[in-house]
Amino acid sequence: MLDRLLAFLDKLARAAIIGGGGMIFAAALLVSFDVLARKAFGTSLGGADELSGYALAISTTWGLAAVLLARGNVRVDAVYQHLPARLRGALDLVSLTALALFAVPLARHGYAVLETSWSLGALSNTPLKTPLWIPQALWVAGLVLFAVVLVVLLARAASAFVRGDLPTVRRLAGARSIQEEAADEAAHGERVAREMAQ
Amino acid sequence: MIATTLVLLLTLIALAIPVAAALGVLGLSLDAIYSSLPLSRAMGEIAWSASNEFLLVSVPMFILLGEILLRSGYAERMYGAMVKWLSWLPGGLMHSNIAACGVFAATSGSSVATAATVGTVALPQARRFGYDERLFLGTLAAGGTLGILIPPSINMIIYAVLTDTSVPKLYLAGIVPGVVLMLLFMATILGACIVRPAWGGQRIHTDWAGRIASLVHLLPPLGIFGVVVGSIYAGLATPTEAAALGVVAALLLAIAAGRFSLAMLREALEGTMRSTSMVMLIILAAYFLNFVISSLGLTTALTDAIAGLGLSKMEMLLAVIVFYVVLGCFMETLSMMITTIPVIAPVMIQLGFDPVWFGIMIVILIETALITPPVGLNLFVVQNLRRHGSMNDVIVGSIPFVLALFVMMALLAAFPQLALWLPGVFQG
């Protein structure tokens, strides 16, 4: 049951992170166009900086769930890696709990910001006069997805831990060792080199 | 209160709690324990305003630029050109490694990407030409660190955001130390290979015609550097706009080389966002924590406590260097910067250090952290590319370059103009 939910959330998180990447890409094109237009015609569309700022805010929160599921949050494992598996599993649960203790209030207070903008009809203090609730709603959506994934992941990891299934805890929530981290970077470089050789 | 805060933070981090969560939870706990007002209510507003900050938009742009550039296939040909020009020196290809890293650094804002890219191209040559493998590995791990000193640089952007320093000034300030450090690395190789000629491998034969012809392969990196760094000083673009232009330029380069595809773009975007979201969460948490500790008067208390120690400027600098070298052995570098800079930089600036100069010093300390065990990401990247032998080879091979980095710090402390001269020239 939890596994199916987690698989669904994983797909959602992947779609969200790619959507966020698309926004950053669009922002890069928009900002470039803005600079070139300013140079070539002496006028600019205006607002490229504002919109790309929203793109960063939204894409950041839309990527958080995928980072979490890929165990991509930075953890200092100098002590952790020398501990027995059971203790490591416990620390993995503590880590998820700590993340949740931060992420849930963040989502709640983020929502409060959205609510205020909505009820006041707040507009951005720029020529675009963007109704702030629009970017903020998308931004909060990412925070909520992150908090939901965290809670489900915590429940799944905790149930595995209680049953003594430490490998599953590790797979879901273990700290990625620096070896794993670097292996990814290196594999990345090699894959690119192979592509180039073709 | 200072002691409680430090103990809490160190405990959370030592327990391998994700850095972002450690900072966030610490902020919330301090608020609950010490504050009469509920400071955490400001969390949403702080997070929102920090996360749409225009300067920070350049962070994902630089990561994306690197991801695309990596796939555009120029690094291999550029390395070939470096081999033709530099392999006659005692130490041969190892000089090409450093120089290729320096050139790649001028288009990339990341040290890990620099080591991974140049390492991938260079490593197959080490055994083919009979080099001392350890020193060869060291040149790649150390050369890669140039990625963040020679502009553009993601770490400088983060420093600029955290300390309100000018990015264009930091970029200019990084150029001369970047070149000096390259020369120091090359001098290190030269010294080692004069003492032990066997380490230097076989000579590779090239001629002048080949050298001249190879220069054309330097055009792509030169072009990207011109777009990303040149456009700022030509008054065309802000640092973030320059980064966006760099993304477009890299994209054109990839299309021209026939390497562009939608699958490639999607992969690049996913990789970009994974790094960006991770770093941004730490930044949001750090902003919140800083708000809490400054509202509680902790920042002032800490500054006063440090001032109360009565250390001289140079003693303080030495203490900061020791602090970062030690911390850098254990902590991932971006999280280390985001966690410590908001507290340490104001103290140093108050003592009379130039914020731009201190930024360069921090970048060099971060470079050192990248090649000091046990947690030196560049060491692991190079070891993984190599796929055999022991990690110790890379560590031992990097030691001479760690010493070179210390020499660089001493030079920078003795001659602050190394960093400050170029920004001064442009200011007029």
Side-chain angles (χ1 to χ4, degrees), chain B residues 90-102:
Chain B
L93 286 179
M94 292 189 277
H95 295 286
S96 320
N97 293 349
I98 299 290
C101 284

Side-chain angles (χ1 to χ4, degrees), chain B residues 285-300:
Chain B
Y287 267 64
F288 171 63
L289 176 60
N290 287 327
F291 169 76
V292 173
I293 64 174
S294 56
S295 304
L296 292 175
L298 250 176
T299 320
T300 339

Side-chain angles (χ1 to χ4, degrees), chain B residues 268-279:
Chain B
L269 288 174
E270 207 182 330
T272 301
M273 284 323 299
R274 214 173 285 147
S275 314
T276 307
S277 287
M278 186 268 289
V279 171

